[in-house]
Amino acid sequence: MEDPEDGRPRCDEAVSLAFSVLGKRWNGMILDALSGGRLGFSAVRRAVTGISDAVLSDRLAELTGVGLVSRHVDAGPPLSVDYALTGAGENLIPVLERLGEWASENLSESGSTDR
Amino acid sequence: MEDPEDGRPRCDEAVSLAFSVLGKRWNGMILDALSGGRLGFSAVRRAVTGISDAVLSDRLAELTGVGLVSRHVDAGPPLSVDYALTGAGENLIPVLERLGEWASENLSESGSTDR
DNA sequence: CATAGCAACTATGTTTTTCATAGCGGCTAT
DNA sequence: ATAGCCGCTATGAAAAACATAGTTGCTATG
Protein backbone atom coordinates (compact mmCIF):
# COMPACT_ATOMS: atom_id res chain seq x y z
CA MET A 1 0.00 0.00 0.00
CA GLU A 2 1.24 3.40 -0.88
CA ASP A 3 -0.09 6.32 1.03
CA PRO A 4 -2.88 8.08 -0.80
CA GLU A 5 -3.11 11.65 0.48
CA ASP A 6 -1.30 11.09 3.71
CA GLY A 7 -1.37 14.69 4.79
CA ARG A 8 2.33 15.15 4.35
CA PRO A 9 3.00 18.27 2.30
CA ARG A 10 4.28 17.80 -1.19
CA CYS A 11 5.10 20.05 -4.06
CA ASP A 12 2.22 20.02 -6.49
CA GLU A 13 2.78 17.80 -9.50
CA ALA A 14 1.56 20.35 -11.99
CA VAL A 15 3.87 23.01 -10.62
CA SER A 16 6.66 20.52 -10.69
CA LEU A 17 5.87 19.79 -14.31
CA ALA A 18 5.92 23.50 -15.11
CA PHE A 19 9.33 23.88 -13.59
CA SER A 20 10.72 20.90 -15.42
CA VAL A 21 10.85 23.30 -18.32
CA LEU A 22 10.76 26.78 -16.78
CA GLY A 23 13.17 25.82 -14.03
CA LYS A 24 16.05 25.61 -16.45
CA ARG A 25 18.08 28.68 -17.04
CA TRP A 26 17.00 30.88 -19.98
CA ASN A 27 13.86 28.98 -20.95
CA GLY A 28 11.47 31.45 -19.40
CA MET A 29 13.30 34.37 -20.88
CA ILE A 30 13.35 32.85 -24.33
CA LEU A 31 9.62 32.24 -24.23
CA ASP A 32 9.09 35.79 -23.07
CA ALA A 33 11.24 37.10 -25.89
CA LEU A 34 9.10 35.21 -28.37
CA SER A 35 5.89 36.51 -26.87
CA GLY A 36 6.14 39.54 -29.13
CA GLY A 37 6.11 37.45 -32.29
CA ARG A 38 8.35 35.26 -34.38
CA LEU A 39 12.08 35.91 -34.31
CA GLY A 40 15.17 34.55 -36.01
CA PHE A 41 18.00 32.90 -34.14
CA SER A 42 20.11 36.03 -33.83
CA ALA A 43 17.14 38.13 -32.90
CA VAL A 44 16.41 35.82 -29.98
CA ARG A 45 20.02 35.97 -28.95
CA ARG A 46 19.86 39.74 -28.89
CA ALA A 47 16.58 39.69 -27.01
CA VAL A 48 17.90 37.42 -24.31
CA THR A 49 21.00 39.23 -23.17
CA GLY A 50 23.81 37.04 -21.97
CA ILE A 51 22.96 33.72 -23.58
CA SER A 52 25.50 32.05 -25.83
CA ASP A 53 24.93 30.49 -29.23
CA ALA A 54 25.50 26.96 -28.08
CA VAL A 55 23.08 27.17 -25.19
CA LEU A 56 20.47 29.04 -27.18
CA SER A 57 20.60 26.40 -29.86
CA ASP A 58 20.12 23.76 -27.24
CA ARG A 59 17.24 25.53 -25.53
CA LEU A 60 15.39 26.24 -28.75
CA ALA A 61 15.60 22.59 -29.66
CA GLU A 62 14.34 21.64 -26.25
CA LEU A 63 11.45 24.09 -26.30
CA THR A 64 10.58 22.91 -29.76
CA GLY A 65 10.71 19.36 -28.49
CA VAL A 66 8.16 19.94 -25.76
CA GLY A 67 5.90 21.75 -28.18
CA LEU A 68 6.09 25.28 -26.87
CA VAL A 69 7.98 26.70 -29.80
CA SER A 70 7.78 26.00 -33.50
CA ARG A 71 10.64 26.27 -35.91
CA HIS A 72 10.04 27.44 -39.39
CA VAL A 73 12.57 27.38 -42.19
CA ASP A 74 12.28 29.52 -45.27
CA ALA A 75 14.77 28.35 -47.87
CA GLY A 76 14.93 31.77 -49.45
CA PRO A 77 17.68 31.93 -51.30
CA PRO A 78 18.56 33.96 -48.29
CA LEU A 79 17.90 31.04 -46.03
CA SER A 80 16.16 32.10 -42.88
CA VAL A 81 14.86 30.31 -39.86
CA ASP A 82 12.48 31.65 -37.33
CA TYR A 83 11.01 30.57 -34.08
CA ALA A 84 7.57 31.33 -32.74
CA LEU A 85 5.39 30.31 -29.84
CA THR A 86 2.91 27.52 -30.45
CA GLY A 87 -0.56 27.69 -28.98
CA ALA A 88 0.69 26.08 -25.79
CA GLY A 89 3.47 28.62 -25.64
CA GLU A 90 1.12 31.50 -26.14
CA ASN A 91 -1.04 30.31 -23.30
CA LEU A 92 1.89 30.98 -21.05
CA ILE A 93 2.14 34.66 -21.91
CA PRO A 94 -0.40 35.93 -19.38
CA VAL A 95 1.28 33.91 -16.66
CA LEU A 96 4.63 35.39 -17.59
CA GLU A 97 3.12 38.82 -17.25
CA ARG A 98 1.88 38.03 -13.77
CA LEU A 99 5.31 36.73 -12.97
CA GLY A 100 6.87 39.95 -14.16
CA GLU A 101 4.56 42.02 -12.02
CA TRP A 102 5.29 39.89 -9.02
CA ALA A 103 9.02 40.20 -9.58
CA SER A 104 9.09 43.94 -9.92
CA GLU A 105 6.99 44.32 -6.82
CA ASN A 106 8.64 41.72 -4.65
CA LEU A 107 12.17 41.17 -5.80
CA SER A 108 14.92 43.68 -5.38
CA GLU A 109 17.06 44.29 -8.43
CA SER A 110 20.17 43.68 -6.38
CA GLY A 111 20.32 40.69 -4.14
CA SER A 112 21.51 38.17 -6.64
CA THR A 113 24.14 39.35 -9.02
CA ASP A 114 25.16 35.80 -8.45
CA ARG A 115 26.75 33.50 -10.97
CA MET B 1 23.67 57.10 -25.25
CA GLU B 2 21.91 53.83 -25.08
CA ASP B 3 18.94 53.14 -27.27
CA PRO B 4 15.67 53.90 -25.56
CA GLU B 5 12.97 51.72 -27.07
CA ASP B 6 14.60 51.00 -30.35
CA GLY B 7 11.97 48.60 -31.53
CA ARG B 8 14.18 45.57 -31.28
CA PRO B 9 12.47 42.89 -29.23
CA ARG B 10 13.89 42.17 -25.84
CA CYS B 11 13.00 39.93 -22.97
CA ASP B 12 11.18 41.99 -20.38
CA GLU B 13 13.37 43.04 -17.48
CA ALA B 14 10.82 42.11 -14.86
CA VAL B 15 10.39 38.64 -16.29
CA SER B 16 14.12 38.31 -16.46
CA LEU B 17 14.32 39.30 -12.82
CA ALA B 18 11.71 36.71 -11.93
CA PHE B 19 13.69 34.00 -13.64
CA SER B 20 16.92 35.02 -11.98
CA VAL B 21 15.45 33.18 -9.03
CA LEU B 22 12.75 30.90 -10.47
CA GLY B 23 14.94 29.89 -13.39
CA LYS B 24 17.18 27.86 -11.15
CA ARG B 25 16.36 24.28 -10.62
CA TRP B 26 14.22 23.46 -7.56
CA ASN B 27 13.53 27.02 -6.45
CA GLY B 28 10.00 27.12 -7.77
CA MET B 29 9.21 23.73 -6.34
CA ILE B 30 10.57 24.65 -2.95
CA LEU B 31 8.45 27.76 -2.84
CA ASP B 32 5.44 25.73 -3.86
CA ALA B 33 6.14 23.20 -1.15
CA LEU B 34 6.20 25.99 1.40
CA SER B 35 2.94 27.46 0.16
CA GLY B 36 1.09 25.13 2.47
CA GLY B 37 2.76 26.51 5.57
CA ARG B 38 6.05 26.34 7.43
CA LEU B 39 8.13 23.20 7.16
CA GLY B 40 11.35 21.84 8.63
CA PHE B 41 14.37 20.98 6.54
CA SER B 42 13.52 17.31 6.16
CA ALA B 43 9.89 18.04 5.50
CA VAL B 44 10.90 20.24 2.58
CA ARG B 45 13.19 17.54 1.31
CA ARG B 46 10.33 15.06 1.37
CA ALA B 47 7.99 17.53 -0.29
CA VAL B 48 10.40 18.20 -3.12
CA THR B 49 11.10 14.74 -4.41
CA GLY B 50 14.54 14.25 -5.83
CA ILE B 51 16.47 17.10 -4.28
CA SER B 52 19.58 16.33 -2.26
CA ASP B 53 20.52 17.73 1.13
CA ALA B 54 23.39 19.77 -0.17
CA VAL B 55 21.40 21.45 -2.89
CA LEU B 56 18.40 22.01 -0.67
CA SER B 57 20.57 23.67 1.91
CA ASP B 58 22.00 25.89 -0.77
CA ARG B 59 18.63 26.82 -2.24
CA LEU B 60 17.05 27.59 1.11
CA ALA B 61 19.91 29.94 1.91
CA GLU B 62 19.50 31.60 -1.43
CA LEU B 63 15.75 32.00 -1.12
CA THR B 64 16.23 33.35 2.36
CA GLY B 65 18.82 35.72 0.98
CA VAL B 66 16.48 37.26 -1.57
CA GLY B 67 13.77 37.59 1.04
CA LEU B 68 11.26 35.05 -0.19
CA VAL B 69 11.70 32.62 2.66
CA SER B 70 12.27 33.17 6.34
CA ARG B 71 14.21 30.83 8.56
CA HIS B 72 13.15 30.38 12.14
CA VAL B 73 15.10 28.50 14.77
CA ASP B 74 13.56 27.14 17.91
CA ALA B 75 16.28 26.05 20.30
CA GLY B 76 14.03 23.55 21.94
CA PRO B 77 15.91 21.36 23.58
CA PRO B 78 14.79 19.41 20.61
CA LEU B 79 16.34 21.97 18.34
CA SER B 80 14.18 22.61 15.34
CA VAL B 81 14.41 24.87 12.37
CA ASP B 82 11.65 25.75 10.05
CA TYR B 83 11.23 27.64 6.85
CA ALA B 84 8.24 29.66 5.75
CA LEU B 85 7.31 32.02 2.96
CA THR B 86 7.67 35.72 3.66
CA GLY B 87 5.07 38.17 2.40
CA ALA B 88 6.91 38.45 -0.88
CA GLY B 89 6.96 34.69 -1.15
CA GLU B 90 3.27 34.40 -0.42
CA ASN B 91 2.49 36.86 -3.16
CA LEU B 92 3.88 34.33 -5.57
CA ILE B 93 1.43 31.59 -4.64
CA PRO B 94 -1.38 32.64 -6.97
CA VAL B 95 1.06 32.88 -9.83
CA LEU B 96 2.34 29.40 -9.08
CA GLU B 97 -1.20 28.15 -9.23
CA ARG B 98 -1.68 29.69 -12.65
CA LEU B 99 1.57 28.11 -13.70
CA GLY B 100 0.38 24.74 -12.51
CA GLU B 101 -2.86 25.04 -14.45
CA TRP B 102 -0.98 26.05 -17.55
CA ALA B 103 1.38 23.13 -17.20
CA SER B 104 -1.26 20.49 -16.77
CA GLU B 105 -3.17 21.83 -19.73
CA ASN B 106 -0.27 22.47 -22.07
CA LEU B 107 2.62 20.27 -21.14
CA SER B 108 2.67 16.55 -21.62
CA GLU B 109 3.86 14.52 -18.68
CA SER B 110 6.39 12.79 -20.86
CA GLY B 111 8.49 14.87 -23.19
CA SER B 112 11.39 15.69 -20.96
CA THR B 113 12.66 12.98 -18.74
CA ASP B 114 15.77 14.99 -19.29
CA ARG B 115 18.80 15.24 -17.00
C1' DC C 1 35.96 40.00 -58.25
C1' DA C 2 37.80 40.07 -53.57
C1' DT C 3 36.93 41.24 -48.91
C1' DA C 4 34.00 41.67 -45.35
C1' DG C 5 29.72 40.79 -42.93
C1' DC C 6 25.47 38.61 -41.32
C1' DA C 7 22.59 34.48 -40.33
C1' DA C 8 22.38 30.06 -38.21
C1' DC C 9 24.54 26.88 -36.24
C1' DT C 10 28.23 23.11 -34.66
C1' DA C 11 32.70 21.84 -32.33
C1' DT C 12 35.99 22.21 -28.61
C1' DG C 13 37.70 22.69 -24.21
C1' DT C 14 37.16 25.07 -19.69
C1' DT C 15 34.52 26.66 -15.71
C1' DT C 16 30.25 26.19 -12.75
C1' DT C 17 26.60 23.67 -10.95
C1' DT C 18 24.54 19.90 -9.40
C1' DC C 19 24.73 15.51 -7.62
C1' DA C 20 25.19 11.28 -4.54
C1' DT C 21 27.27 9.90 -0.56
C1' DA C 22 29.22 10.22 3.96
C1' DG C 23 29.71 12.18 8.24
C1' DC C 24 28.69 15.00 12.52
C1' DG C 25 26.47 16.80 16.96
C1' DG C 26 22.25 16.89 19.55
C1' DC C 27 18.24 14.64 21.03
C1' DT C 28 14.74 10.78 21.55
C1' DA C 29 12.56 6.34 21.29
C1' DT C 30 13.40 1.29 22.44
C1' DA D 1 23.18 1.25 25.02
C1' DT D 2 21.97 1.21 20.29
C1' DA D 3 19.63 2.95 16.78
C1' DG D 4 17.22 6.66 14.49
C1' DC D 5 15.70 11.36 13.19
C1' DC D 6 16.92 16.29 12.48
C1' DG D 7 19.63 19.76 10.28
C1' DC D 8 23.25 20.43 8.16
C1' DT D 9 28.42 20.50 6.04
C1' DA D 10 32.32 18.14 3.30
C1' DT D 11 34.02 15.73 -0.63
C1' DG D 12 34.75 14.26 -5.12
C1' DA D 13 32.50 12.95 -9.44
C1' DA D 14 29.20 13.83 -13.21
C1' DA D 15 26.50 17.01 -15.84
C1' DA D 16 25.41 21.59 -17.53
C1' DA D 17 26.68 26.09 -19.07
C1' DC D 18 30.03 28.95 -20.88
C1' DA D 19 33.29 31.55 -24.20
C1' DT D 20 35.37 31.15 -28.32
C1' DA D 21 36.30 29.74 -32.88
C1' DG D 22 34.97 27.82 -37.11
C1' DT D 23 31.60 26.47 -41.04
C1' DT D 24 28.34 27.16 -45.02
C1' DG D 25 25.58 30.10 -47.79
C1' DC D 26 24.31 34.47 -49.25
C1' DT D 27 24.69 39.69 -49.63
C1' DA D 28 26.59 44.26 -49.49
C1' DT D 29 30.82 47.14 -50.51
C1' DG D 30 34.83 48.74 -52.92
Side-chain angles (χ1 to χ4, degrees), chain B residues 24-26 50 52-55 59 77-78:
Chain B
K24 291 182 80 169
R25 204 177 178 195
W26 305 117
S52 72
D53 283 18
V55 175
R59 288 293 115 91

Side-chain angles (χ1 to χ4, degrees), chain B residues 1-101:
Chain B
M1 300 303 169
E2 288 73 56
D3 34 32
E5 190 47 69
D6 56 3
R8 278 180 260 163
R10 261 211 287 163
C11 168
D12 183 49
E13 262 190 58
V15 172
S16 174
L17 180 58
F19 282 109
S20 71
V21 38
L22 295 180
K24 291 182 80 169
R25 204 177 178 195
W26 305 117
N27 277 350
M29 281 146 83
I30 293 173
L31 292 170
D32 184 52
L34 290 175
S35 70
R38 52 179 63 251
L39 295 177
F41 188 89
S42 323
V44 179
R45 187 184 41 209
R46 275 190 295 271
V48 182
T49 41
I51 196 170
S52 72
D53 283 18
V55 175
L56 176 56
S57 181
D58 218 62
R59 288 293 115 91
L60 284 171
E62 189 179 323
L63 291 172
T64 300
V66 297
L68 296 179
V69 166
S70 65
R71 181 186 136 111
H72 175 252
V73 183
D74 174 13
L79 169 84
S80 81
V81 181
D82 51 44
Y83 297 88
L85 296 182
T86 61
E90 284 179 350
N91 291 338
L92 181 62
I93 298 181
V95 187
L96 288 180
E97 280 167 10
R98 300 290 237 88
L99 216 42
E101 287 167 27

Side-chain angles (χ1 to χ4, degrees), chain A residues 19-52:
Chain A
F19 283 109
S20 71
V21 39
L22 296 180
K24 290 183 79 170
R25 207 180 175 192
W26 305 117
N27 277 350
M29 281 146 82
I30 292 173
L31 292 170
D32 184 52
L34 290 174
S35 69
R38 53 179 62 250
L39 295 176
F41 187 91
S42 324
V44 178
R45 186 183 43 208
R46 276 190 294 271
V48 182
T49 42
I51 197 170
S52 72

Side-chain angles (χ1 to χ4, degrees), chain A residues 39-70:
Chain A
L39 295 176
F41 187 91
S42 324
V44 178
R45 186 183 43 208
R46 276 190 294 271
V48 182
T49 42
I51 197 170
S52 72
D53 283 19
V55 176
L56 177 56
S57 182
D58 217 62
R59 287 294 112 90
L60 283 171
E62 189 178 324
L63 291 172
T64 300
V66 297
L68 296 179
V69 166
S70 65

